[in-house]
Amino acid sequence: MSSLYRKRGIFYYQGKDEDGNRFQKSLRTRDRAEAKEKKEKLDERFSTDTPSTLAKLVEDYLEHRHRKVERDELSERTVGTDEYVLPLFMDWVEDECGTVFSDELEKIDFSAFKEARLADGVSPTTAGNNLRHIQSFFSHLRRKGVVEKDLFKSVEIPQPRRRDVVPTEREFKALKEWLDKQIEKADKPKWIHLLMKLACHTGMRLGEIAILKWERGPEDFGTGHSRNYVYLDCGEKNLTVKFKRKLRVIPVGHIWSVFEEMRKRREPSDTYVFTSLASGSHYTVSTLCGKWKTEVKKIDGLSRPYTSHSIRHGVVTHLLRQGVPVYKVGKIVGHSSEKITERYSHFIPDDLEDAMSLLE
């Protein structure tokens, strides 16, 4: 049984959704005759096949995403972002349009949502991330046949800021020499210096180094989407890395002194090579980023405080400059394709002088 009521001069429709729960929907009119006409149309539509509300569609989608996590096809972090972004989006839609049903999704203005997020003070990168999660939700609805066309076709999604800052060969060398000097002169080198040296000589991500274990654990197997692990093979002096769906093995004999030094301070209960004294577990990536930032500011030979990601770019560029084939560099750093490795190769003009001299 449906009914009309008026609130602050605006007529609302009150009915029941597909689960029998009562809901209210703004008819966006102050005219009683027009409100009755809209009520009749809604009654006719709901009397045959009650469409799902946006809230119900989101609820079903999140259940679907959790099932993918259970099957190791999706990470908990991704679903956690879904659970934050989609309710935020629903609240905005409710404020703008009232209760929205599956056959009314086309009226949602996604560009207006983007502008609202930017007006809230979030960065373009964050707004873009929000929109990509919402886009995944609507792509799911499209595959299920809930919507027929791509509602995001005309939406301009802000792209992440490109990180094109990379150290020159001189700066890359200065960083490694500074680290070697700090390690050599200290009776007990700082663990962060050892970690930075490992990053500079392998191109590993901080997220990979953070979860680096002394040995393989019973859970460190498989190649599932959300399964990440890194462990040391002391016999072969190799690292096995499963990160971002890519499995690779890195020889680390050339940097073995880092592990020998860390082994001196290892406690019997330590699982991770870089174990936090405060938690007894591995450091978080944000903590490592902060430590990195503090140390890199102390180096005079750098034009700027390079991030660990910039140094990863530097490792790729250094190897390519030395003539290492693109496919080998990609295997070392864990890129999914050669195109990505080429994108990481930031050649400066000086690198092209030899090639240009051939045109004289």
Side-chain angles (χ1 to χ4, degrees), residues 183 191 193-199 201 212 214 252 254-265 273-274:
I183 292 171
W191 64 266
H193 292 159
L194 296 168
L195 182 148
M196 292 173 71
K197 183 173 182 176
L198 179 61
H201 286 267
L212 169 58
W214 283 108
V252 287
H254 68 295
I255 199 72
W256 196 248
S257 59
V258 168
F259 300 104
E260 290 178 337
E261 186 61 45
M262 289 303 298
R263 191 182 295 279
K264 294 177 183 177
R265 62 194 77 180
V273 173
F274 298 97

Side-chain angles (χ1 to χ4, degrees), residues 87-294:
L88 185 72
F89 172 67
M90 282 194 301
D91 289 343
W92 178 84
V93 171
E94 180 73 26
D95 291 340
E96 294 292 314
C97 310
T99 303
V100 173
F101 293 87
S102 57
D103 57 353
E104 301 175 315
L105 296 175
E106 291 185 20
K107 73 180 185 181
I108 298 175
D109 188 345
F110 300 101
S111 295
F113 172 75
K114 177 182 71 174
E115 295 304 321
R117 292 295 289 144
L118 294 174
D120 287 339
V122 303
S123 68
T125 300
T126 299
N129 177 272
N130 291 172
L131 286 168
R132 277 186 285 276
H133 279 267
I134 297 168
Q135 184 180 36
S136 295
F137 166 58
F138 277 88
S139 295
H140 170 78
L141 296 183
R142 212 177 154 198
R143 289 192 296 270
K144 299 285 287 184
V146 177
V147 293
E148 296 182 358
K149 60 183 181 180
D150 183 6
L151 302 182
F152 270 78
K153 191 173 183 179
S154 61
V155 181
E156 183 179 348
I157 301 178
Q159 298 301 310
R161 289 190 291 268
R162 289 178 61 85
R163 292 173 177 164
D164 289 337
V165 179
V166 63
T168 63
E169 279 291 281
R170 177 186 59 78
E171 290 177 313
F172 189 56
K173 182 180 179 181
L175 170 59
K176 292 192 292 184
E177 289 178 348
W178 183 86
L179 287 171
D180 287 340
K181 183 178 179 180
Q182 302 307 309
I183 292 171
E184 289 172 5
K185 72 179 185 180
D187 294 333
K188 184 178 181 182
K190 292 182 178 180
W191 64 266
I192 187 59
H193 292 159
L194 296 168
L195 182 148
M196 292 173 71
K197 183 173 182 176
L198 179 61
C200 289
H201 286 267
T202 61
M204 292 175 69
R205 305 173 179 93
L206 283 189
E208 296 170 340
I209 298 178
I211 60 174
L212 169 58
K213 295 180 179 179
W214 283 108
E215 57 189 26
R216 181 178 180 176
E219 68 281 2
D220 301 329
F221 68 93
T223 56
H225 182 103
S226 62
R227 191 180 298 278
N228 292 329
Y229 52 84
V230 186
Y231 60 83
L232 189 64
D233 182 343
C234 293
E236 298 294 330
K237 293 186 177 180
N238 288 332
L239 285 180
T240 297
V241 184
K242 164 59 180 61
F243 205 82
K244 290 192 173 182
R245 291 176 286 179
K246 294 292 293 183
L247 181 65
R248 70 189 194 275
V249 176
I250 305 175
V252 287
H254 68 295
I255 199 72
W256 196 248
S257 59
V258 168
F259 300 104
E260 290 178 337
E261 186 61 45
M262 289 303 298
R263 191 182 295 279
K264 294 177 183 177
R265 62 194 77 180
R266 182 189 180 186
E267 297 294 334
S269 60
D270 288 350
T271 298
Y272 299 96
V273 173
F274 298 97
T275 299
S276 168
L277 295 178
S279 67
S281 183
H282 63 76
Y283 288 96
T284 63
V285 174
S286 60
T287 297
L288 296 183
C289 286
K291 295 283 187 181
W292 181 293
K293 186 176 181 179
T294 299

